[in-house]
Amino acid sequence: MTDPVLLAQQLVRCASVTPADAGALDVLEAALTPLGFMCHRLNFEQEGTQPVDNLYARLGTAAPHFCFAGHTDVVPAGEGWTHDPFAAEVRDGLLYGRGAADMKSAIAAFVAAVARTGTPKGSISLLITGDEEGPAVNGTPKMLGWLKAQGERIDHCIVGEPTSTSSAGDTLKIGRRGSINFRVAVTGVQGHVGYPHRARNPIPPLALLVTRLAGHKLDTGNDHFEPSTLSFTSLDVGNAATNVIPAAAEARFNIRFNNEHTPESLIAHVEREARAVAKETGCDIVLSHGVSGVSFLTHPGPFTALVAGAVESVTGRVPDFSTSGGTSDARFIKDHCPVVELGLAGATMHKVDEHVPVAEILRLTDIYAAILTAYFANPPH
Ligand SMILES: [Zn+2]
């Protein structure tokens, strides 16, 4: 039998700050191989990024195929810990260490659940990346491409991110909002404040555009999502002189959007508003943007019902379905199969003295075991 707490401690003791692996995947492979998993180490690199080591492990060859996705990399420890961030100390029932909550303990809980439930009537796999906290270029997206090329088909997936609120299983994430960053640069004509008719001030047009974009309601939300939001993060002119009309002004903003929008529809909206202001004011307006995630929703159905039922059988409580928070690797997996995020409570993730109660690791192990048992007894379609 695999002890989830000992395995979590072994993983935390590897200082796997992205993109370093520091032996974390070796620890995992050593735990999975005796359980019958075929392990594939997938090292990807791309120009301009650092190479990343990933692990795909599969037990069984038949369908249905249940996948657990996660990451062994962690964010830097930072300063001011009262417990060594890589010692994996257990004190007063709490496991301390970088990655204890996000998300090495969940990986350990899943491995222990597989060890407990035994050989499945189908297949179980782990898709573990070392590049979730970093650029996420040489991790999950490349692994999914590799799986497709090998003819590997996943039917359902759980991502073990720390998505719960106060106790494991109180919240399931069935979707996430998308995110786009925009920069808008307005160019006018520089001049003397005493002769403004000889200049073209870019500040009022920028202010007009900011007001229009900020005042526009993108949507009113829906059954599964809060309304989308547009937030300005900076407004810059950088002009120290009191007697000069500047030539240029710029602003930056972020849109967090639900499944009422696509990146394309939002970019078109922003471009339309910018063109209108440029036309009215005679200034040049240039937009640039970077999409850092698209929104997705796994519609409540047989799979979410199975997961919720299994959680309730352990915790006695029906989990909440949520779509809040930042982005996760589920945004890549949703193109391949239905995906739900379920892990520990993440109150201390990325913080100093990150920790998780040992009892919660055991509870999550029970939850994952209940899901696997229910899944292979009666696979959802
Ligand atoms: Zn994470």
Side-chain angles (χ1 to χ4, degrees), residues 70-71 73 101-103 132-133 160-162 328 349-350:
H71 61 90
D73 62 324
D102 185 10
M103 56 167 279
E132 198 274 343
E133 303 288 9
E161 286 288 346
S328 82
M349 60 181 175
H350 296 206

Side-chain angles (χ1 to χ4, degrees), residues 71-117:
H71 61 90
T72 44
D73 62 324
V74 296
V75 297
E79 300 291 317
W81 286 64
T82 58
H83 302 262
D84 180 335
F86 300 108
E89 206 183 308
V90 174
R91 182 75 62 88
D92 300 325
L94 303 175
L95 168 62
Y96 285 89
R98 178 55 84 225
D102 185 10
M103 56 167 279
K104 288 174 167 175
S105 301
I107 296 173
F110 188 78
V111 175
V114 176
R116 191 190 297 173
T117 53

Side-chain angles (χ1 to χ4, degrees), residues 189-196 198-201 243-247:
V189 177
Q190 186 177 322
H192 194 296
V193 290
Y195 305 89
R198 291 185 198 156
R200 192 174 295 136
N201 194 334
N243 56 356
V244 176
I245 291 171

Side-chain angles (χ1 to χ4, degrees), residues 274-298:
R275 259 199 315 273
V277 170
K279 202 168 163 201
E280 285 167 40
T281 63
C283 281
D284 269 352
I285 302 186
V286 176
L287 282 172
S288 52
H289 57 79
V291 178
S292 47
V294 298
S295 66
F296 78 93
L297 176 70
T298 297

Side-chain angles (χ1 to χ4, degrees), residues 262-315:
T262 61
E264 293 72 30
S265 70
L266 290 166
I267 292 162
H269 160 69
V270 172
E271 279 175 347
R272 221 167 20 244
E273 296 288 342
R275 259 199 315 273
V277 170
K279 202 168 163 201
E280 285 167 40
T281 63
C283 281
D284 269 352
I285 302 186
V286 176
L287 282 172
S288 52
H289 57 79
V291 178
S292 47
V294 298
S295 66
F296 78 93
L297 176 70
T298 297
H299 281 279
F303 181 55
T304 57
L306 180 144
V307 174
V311 169
E312 192 189 355
S313 74
V314 172
T315 66

Side-chain angles (χ1 to χ4, degrees), residues 32-290:
L32 290 169
T33 305
L35 298 176
F37 279 87
M38 278 281 293
C39 294
H40 305 267
R41 290 289 273 273
L42 306 170
N43 194 278
F44 296 113
E45 52 182 296
Q46 182 174 309
E47 215 177 302
T49 61
Q50 287 180 285
V52 174
D53 210 2
N54 305 279
L55 173 70
Y56 173 65
R58 180 166 176 169
L59 173 65
T61 52
H65 178 176
F66 183 100
C67 175
F68 174 90
H71 61 90
T72 44
D73 62 324
V74 296
V75 297
E79 300 291 317
W81 286 64
T82 58
H83 302 262
D84 180 335
F86 300 108
E89 206 183 308
V90 174
R91 182 75 62 88
D92 300 325
L94 303 175
L95 168 62
Y96 285 89
R98 178 55 84 225
D102 185 10
M103 56 167 279
K104 288 174 167 175
S105 301
I107 296 173
F110 188 78
V111 175
V114 176
R116 191 190 297 173
T117 53
T119 309
K121 276 195 290 186
S123 306
I124 298 173
S125 68
L126 283 88
L127 189 69
I128 306 295
T129 175
D131 186 27
E132 198 274 343
E133 303 288 9
V137 168
N138 293 318
T140 302
K142 290 229 167 76
M143 292 177 83
L144 289 166
W146 183 86
L147 289 181
K148 210 167 180 185
Q150 304 293 310
E152 292 276 314
R153 223 195 91 135
I154 298 169
D155 294 301
H156 297 90
C157 181
I158 292 258
V159 176
E161 286 288 346
T163 48
S164 294
T165 308
S166 54
S167 180
D170 61 10
T171 308
L172 299 184
K173 286 230 193 293
I174 58 164
R176 294 269 192 166
R177 291 178 302 172
S179 172
I180 314 180
N181 291 310
F182 285 90
R183 175 177 173 271
V184 51
V186 181
T187 309
V189 177
Q190 186 177 322
H192 194 296
V193 290
Y195 305 89
H197 54 285
R198 291 185 198 156
R200 192 174 295 136
N201 194 334
I203 297 175
L206 181 59
L208 182 62
L209 183 56
V210 168
T211 305
R212 284 191 189 167
L213 288 172
H216 176 79
K217 208 179 218 179
L218 290 164
D219 58 74
T220 53
N222 57 37
D223 285 353
H224 302 296
F225 281 97
E226 297 281 301
S228 303
T229 55
L230 184 154
S231 302
F232 277 90
T233 53
S234 107
L235 191 63
D236 301 295
V237 179
N239 178 20
T242 54
N243 56 356
V244 176
I245 291 171
E250 73 164 65
R252 288 165 198 268
F253 59 99
N254 174 273
I255 299 181
R256 290 292 159 113
F257 59 99
N258 59 33
N259 61 340
E260 304 282 325
H261 307 273
T262 61
E264 293 72 30
S265 70
L266 290 166
I267 292 162
H269 160 69
V270 172
E271 279 175 347
R272 221 167 20 244
E273 296 288 342
R275 259 199 315 273
V277 170
K279 202 168 163 201
E280 285 167 40
T281 63
C283 281
D284 269 352
I285 302 186
V286 176
L287 282 172
S288 52
H289 57 79

